[in-house]
Amino acid sequence: AFHDALSRALAAALDLRTGRTTGGLSREQVSGALSEAGVSSETASDLLDLRETLETARYAPERPTRQDLQARYDSIVRLVKESARD
């Protein structure tokens, strides 16, 4: 449930930043939308990497540690704030 919630939060931030729905789009398509929205390539890459990490983590058989969960949460907060400033 934790990774689902983070994924939804990140998806909502991406949708707001790009002005369109990004769910179901490929990495390249979301990257293009972020670029068109004026997000720096470095921030866009970080956002997309985190998107993939969260998707993988949702289905991983091992349970993440509390530190892993905190790091992922902190990454979402940081990257969403950065993308809003770009």
Side-chain angles (χ1 to χ4, degrees), residues 6-16 22-23:
L6 286 183
S7 293
R8 284 191 306 274
L10 182 58
L14 291 172
D15 292 353
L16 287 172
T22 57

Side-chain angles (χ1 to χ4, degrees), residues 4 6 13-14 16 22-23 27 29 35 39 41 44 52 62 67 78 84-85:
D4 286 338
L6 286 183
L14 291 172
L16 287 172
T22 57
R27 180 182 178 98
Q29 291 169 319
S35 179
V39 176
S41 60
E52 289 176 8
E62 67 277 350
Q67 291 82 6
R78 180 180 57 80
R85 285 192 300 249

Side-chain angles (χ1 to χ4, degrees), residues 4-72:
D4 286 338
L6 286 183
S7 293
R8 284 191 306 274
L10 182 58
L14 291 172
D15 292 353
L16 287 172
R17 186 66 174 122
T18 61
R20 64 186 201 190
T21 301
T22 57
L25 297 180
S26 70
R27 180 182 178 98
E28 293 76 24
Q29 291 169 319
V30 176
S31 179
L34 288 168
S35 179
E36 290 172 12
V39 176
S40 72
S41 60
E42 182 179 328
T43 299
S45 179
D46 289 345
L47 287 164
L48 294 168
D49 289 347
L50 184 54
R51 179 183 177 214
E52 289 176 8
T53 297
L54 293 174
E55 185 64 22
T56 301
R58 288 172 60 190
Y59 302 105
E62 67 277 350
R63 293 179 46 93
T65 65
R66 188 184 262 333
Q67 291 82 6
D68 291 337
L69 297 175
Q70 185 65 51
R72 290 173 187 158

